[in-house]
Amino acid sequence: MQPDVHAFFDEATNTASYVVRDPEGSSCAIIDSVLDFDYASGRTDTKSADEIIGFVRAKGWSVDWLLETHVHADHLSAAPYLQEALGGKIGIGAAITDVQEEFGKVFNEGTAFQRDGSQFDALFEEGSSFHIGQLRGDVLHTPGHTPACMTYVIGDAAFVGDTLFMPDFGTARCDFPGGSAGDLYDSIQKILALPDATRIFVCHDYKAPGRDAFAWETTVGAEKANNVHIGGGVSREEFVALREGRDATLGMPKLIIPSLQVNMRAGQMPEPDESGKVFLKVPVDGL
């Protein structure tokens, strides 16, 4: 079955969010939403999320799922805000507990921060499935960028998060805590084993040199043949050397510090202090 897919691109974070609908009904899912955040002022905004809310309401659709492909390091999730407005269950990979354990230490969260994934409504394992109305979604565990990365295969569409980018841009970085270039190579092979006609929807696009427009949809066949990091039968050893060499030249994403603290809590802010104010921590030399 071919799901109805609508993309919403946030140029400030280069993030593509998706509304995915059962073509035979009104049920839908929202994948990788964005809460706008200005780091300089510490202010949040819901403009990106409100655009999705307005779209879903105008269509008269109902939200079954709010899915995260992973704990994003480059934007904050709007899942709780969307859930309050539209309903739906928040889902992520079960290895979120590994991410929470790792970054609970980085941000010195203490014992009050639960590291069991209980902030989410559903934790998916390899081979898990879910439904959007009558439309079935299947889950692939695709670690490498992070330990908890998931690919959601919904009908003829695969939502790959940061595992793959457009063919002319390559693949995700693997140098965050818990990342692994070898794991990413193995995960990508799972995705490339899907039928060549499978539509791939990426989570980010940065406009590769020579390309004028942003893009976020490709196919398994195009990735297999043309991806500049993994296409054409690159070996695992070659890929690991390329990926690790490239990662060594990259700076940290500009929103990594607020994003990790919020997204490992399923999009919720840290608990307010006794005066009701919310604070985020900056670990000095911690990343």
Side-chain angles (χ1 to χ4, degrees):
M1 187 179 291
Q2 187 174 71
D4 186 11
V5 180
H6 296 265
F8 296 79
F9 190 73
D10 176 56
E11 197 164 339
T13 61
N14 296 91
T15 303
S17 304
Y18 299 99
V19 175
V20 185
R21 182 183 68 95
D22 173 4
E24 297 184 354
S26 60
S27 296
C28 68
I30 299 170
I31 300 178
D32 290 336
S33 62
V34 173
L35 177 71
D36 305 303
F37 185 76
D38 179 64
Y39 203 178
S41 66
R43 292 189 179 276
T44 61
D45 194 273
T46 59
K47 180 180 178 181
S48 296
D50 287 336
E51 183 180 1
I52 293 176
I53 291 170
F55 174 83
V56 171
R57 285 178 172 167
K59 294 289 189 180
W61 296 347
S62 60
V63 175
D64 289 350
W65 287 99
L66 301 157
L67 300 173
E68 302 289 349
T69 53
H70 62 294
V71 173
H72 309 277
D74 38 30
H75 71 273
L76 282 65
S77 169
Y81 179 75
L82 291 169
Q83 186 178 53
E84 183 176 352
L86 299 172
K89 293 183 288 187
I90 302 174
I92 200 168
I96 179 62
T97 56
D98 296 335
V99 177
Q100 290 174 327
E101 185 65 35
E102 183 72 41
F103 289 108
K105 296 173 184 175
V106 169
F107 292 105
N108 192 29
E109 292 293 348
T111 57
F113 173 58
Q114 297 299 310
R115 295 160 169 82
D116 58 1
S118 58
Q119 301 88 343
F120 298 83
D121 299 312
L123 302 180
F124 298 118
E125 305 269 4
E126 171 79 17
S128 295
S129 64
F130 57 92
H131 283 83
I132 305 167
Q134 298 303 308
L135 181 64
R136 173 173 165 146
D138 293 290
V139 179
L140 300 178
H141 183 209
T142 48
H145 176 59
T146 80
C149 287
M150 310 303 285
T151 291
Y152 300 111
V153 182
I154 305 170
D156 75 333
F159 298 85
V160 299
D162 288 10
T163 303
L164 286 167
F165 297 131
M166 295 300 290
D168 58 1
F169 202 85
T171 60
R173 66 192 296 168
C174 301
D175 58 330
F176 298 150
S180 165
D183 287 349
L184 183 64
Y185 181 89
D186 296 339
S187 294
I188 290 171
Q189 302 316 303
K190 291 184 186 180
I191 298 170
L192 298 185
L194 296 168
D196 281 358
T198 303
R199 294 181 292 163
I200 285 182
F201 293 91
V202 302
C203 187
H204 297 285
D205 186 56
Y206 302 96
K207 264 196 304 195
R211 176 154 52 85
D212 294 331
F214 290 111
W216 42 80
E217 179 180 350
T218 181
T219 66
V220 166
E223 293 281 10
K224 195 183 298 183
N226 302 318
N227 187 285
V228 294
H229 293 166
I230 201 73
V234 171
S235 71
R236 192 177 195 272
E237 182 180 50
E238 291 170 326
F239 176 78
V240 169
L242 179 152
R243 187 68 263 171
E244 291 182 347
R246 179 173 172 79
D247 289 349
T249 71
L250 301 176
M252 287 288 105
K254 64 182 180 180
L255 292 182
I256 186 171
I257 288 174
S259 294
L260 291 175
Q261 292 175 78
V262 170
N263 295 339
M264 70 182 183
R265 293 176 162 88
Q268 298 284 357
M269 292 290 170
E271 287 293 319
D273 69 4
E274 61 276 4
S275 70
K277 295 180 180 178
V278 173
F279 293 89
L280 295 167
K281 300 175 182 177
V282 177
V284 178
D285 298 327
L287 287 170

